[in-house]
Amino acid sequence: MTNDIEKLYAEIQKGNENIIAQAISMVEDGTKNGLKLMKKIYKNVEPAYMVGISGPPGSGKSTLTQRIVQLWRKQNKKVGIIAIDPTSHFSGGALLGDRVRMNEISTDPNVFIRSMATRGSLGGLNSSIYDTVLIFSLAGFDYIIIETVGVGQNEIDIVKLADTTVFVTVPEAGDEIQAYKAGLMEVGDIFVVNKSDRPNSQQMVLTIEQLVSFKDEDKEWKPPVISTNALKNKGISDIKDWITKHHDYLLDNKLLKENRKQVIKAQMINLMEKTLNEKYIKPILEDEKFPEHIEQIYDKKKDPYSTVEELMPFD
Ligand SMILES: Nc1nc2c(ncn2[C@@H]2O[C@H](COP(=O)(O)OP(=O)(O)OP(=O)(O)O)[C@@H](O)[C@H]2O)c(=O)[nH]1
Ligand SMILES: [Mg+2]
């Protein structure tokens, strides 16, 4: 493993796959060198275009990703894929190895696939996901796809990173759509009803179109609802074209900048919470006197409010 930051930086820039993988591990593990590297990358690198692909387990996100990437490859675009492993909940989905199986693109040197775990961090958003985006961007990737499985708050926090979010569902996911519709409407820029070979797919398209029609907070962008069959490669170029249209829309309305400032804000909050936790909360919890506080509170000699004020005198 090389520790020379300049050298690491230069090798990533050249697209050296081993070094890219190594650099991602460094930031995931929170090493000092990983931090040094990120400080340099942050100031020199503009993030590539980020596309979030989200939806219920098994809806076809990876298959669609593979198909979209194949179209981008025809245009000579380089693509980084980050597959988020949902360690934080039991989706009943397949094991990670199966989740990210993208056989047709995995050997292409211009496609890099990385899976990452969400470690239920305090702020929701795991900052090493964005660090990975920046490492990929330094390596010259044109697009970065972030695949998340599920439809809960955790996933929504992650896809907020993306410039364009594609929400993939299937004809039989009606209950999930209803349960999470507020969140989905908030983040979904493009809706896909995959597995159009299955019954009631047209009904699902109509249901989502109806939900989307109530979305009025940004009237300029009406999210399209696209019917696809990933196995038969139907509707894929529509997704690709709508991603481009959404990108143009964000640029025309200066929203790309806005979104990225929001991401910076989220990352700042995340880092502050992490720092607070590591520098203040953890030492208190690990202090041998801590159990005494609990005993005293239990014995009604103290209360938790005054104890925390005493332990963290922040005024
Ligand atoms: N019938 C049908 N099956 C499909 C279609 N697209 C994908 N599949 C199948 O659905 C299964 C799940 O596909 P994936 O692409 O792994 O789905 P995913 O959403 O990435 O799955 P997770 O990452 O585990 O949540 C696979 O067996 C695919 O072959 C489609 O359009 N029609
Ligand atoms: Mg998958």
Side-chain angles (χ1 to χ4, degrees):
M1 170 161 322
T2 171
N3 284 330
D4 179 339
I5 301 300
E6 298 302 323
K7 201 168 164 212
L8 267 175
Y9 189 95
E11 286 300 315
I12 295 169
Q13 202 164 24
K14 278 191 220 157
N16 181 329
E17 287 195 35
N18 287 332
I19 301 289
I20 295 171
Q22 210 179 87
I24 296 170
S25 298
M26 281 165 67
V27 300
E28 272 190 305
D29 296 343
T31 66
K32 282 211 172 93
N33 276 325
L35 190 62
K36 272 192 203 156
L37 176 70
M38 286 322 299
K39 285 179 179 172
K40 182 170 166 73
I41 292 180
Y42 227 102
K43 292 215 301 222
N44 290 287
V45 177
E46 194 56 40
Y49 201 73
M50 292 171 270
V51 177
I53 301 208
S54 199
S59 51
K61 300 174 294 295
S62 299
T63 316
L64 287 165
T65 295
Q66 175 163 281
R67 297 275 174 253
I68 297 165
V69 170
Q70 285 168 333
L71 293 181
W72 278 334
R73 289 297 305 126
K74 283 190 187 149
Q75 299 177 315
N76 223 7
K77 304 286 185 199
K78 289 175 74 175
V79 191
I81 300 167
I82 304 172
I84 309 293
D85 178 25
T87 45
S88 50
H89 55 101
F90 301 93
S91 60
L95 290 171
L96 183 63
D98 289 334
R99 280 203 55 233
V100 295
R101 198 174 45 208
M102 298 184 206
N103 297 331
E104 293 170 36
I105 53 173
S106 59
T107 53
D108 184 334
N110 291 304
V111 177
F112 195 104
I113 306 172
R114 174 77 179 206
S115 25
M116 300 183 83
T118 44
R119 296 199 191 99
S121 64
L122 272 172
L125 181 133
N126 185 335
S127 80
S128 48
I129 298 172
Y130 193 56
D131 289 343
T132 303
V133 167
L134 289 172
I135 292 171
F136 280 163
S137 306
L138 172 61
F141 290 104
D142 300 285
Y143 288 101
I144 291 158
I145 291 188
I146 305 169
E147 180 189 332
T148 54
V149 54
V151 288
Q153 191 56 50
N154 238 352
E155 293 72 39
I156 287 173
D157 282 344
I158 293 168
V159 295
K160 274 187 185 160
L161 255 185
D163 300 307
T164 297
T165 296
V166 179
F167 190 82
V168 179
T169 185
V170 284
E172 47 282 332
D175 291 346
E176 269 152 312
I177 298 299
Q178 291 305 331
Y180 291 98
K181 65 182 172 198
L184 302 186
M185 290 304 124
E186 187 191 337
V187 296
D189 302 306
I190 295 168
F191 289 88
V192 170
V193 179
N194 189 36
K195 309 200 183 183
S196 64
D197 48 306
R198 294 207 179 154
N200 303 322
S201 110
Q202 210 40 43
Q203 184 53 44
M204 192 61 174
V205 171
L206 290 174
T207 304
I208 298 178
E209 274 174 350
Q210 206 179 9
L211 289 175
V212 165
S213 69
F214 292 116
K215 180 181 175 170
D216 59 0
E217 24 39 275
D218 64 59
K219 292 190 182 72
E220 299 287 318
W221 180 258
K222 291 265 175 272
V225 185
I226 307 167
S227 172
T228 62
N229 179 340
L231 293 184
K232 295 243 163 88
N233 227 339
K234 280 189 193 157
I236 313 298
S237 58
D238 290 341
I239 304 180
K240 181 186 124 287
D241 293 345
W242 276 104
I243 291 171
T244 307
K245 276 185 209 165
H246 188 247
H247 187 177
D248 291 342
Y249 159 79
L250 294 178
L251 288 174
D252 292 346
N253 293 279
K254 306 210 164 27
L255 292 168
L256 194 64
K257 244 189 204 169
E258 236 7 84
N259 180 40
R260 289 175 172 204
K261 285 184 190 168
Q262 286 302 320
V263 170
I264 293 171
K265 184 178 170 189
Q267 197 182 21
M268 290 287 292
I269 294 172
N270 194 254
L271 284 173
M272 288 189 283
E273 285 175 341
K274 216 165 123 186
T275 305
L276 188 69
N277 197 31
E278 271 162 26
K279 295 231 171 17
Y280 294 93
I281 300 176
K282 225 169 120 195
I284 294 174
L285 293 178
E286 285 170 358
D287 191 299
E288 56 185 22
K289 286 196 223 95
F290 190 71
E292 258 172 55
H293 294 297
I294 295 178
E295 288 303 321
Q296 291 184 343
I297 294 167
Y298 183 80
D299 291 337
K300 307 283 178 204
K301 289 182 187 141
K302 282 173 110 176
D303 68 87
Y305 309 101
S306 321
T307 311
V308 170
E309 279 169 10
E310 175 198 318
L311 290 169
M312 303 176 92
F314 272 146
D315 340 294

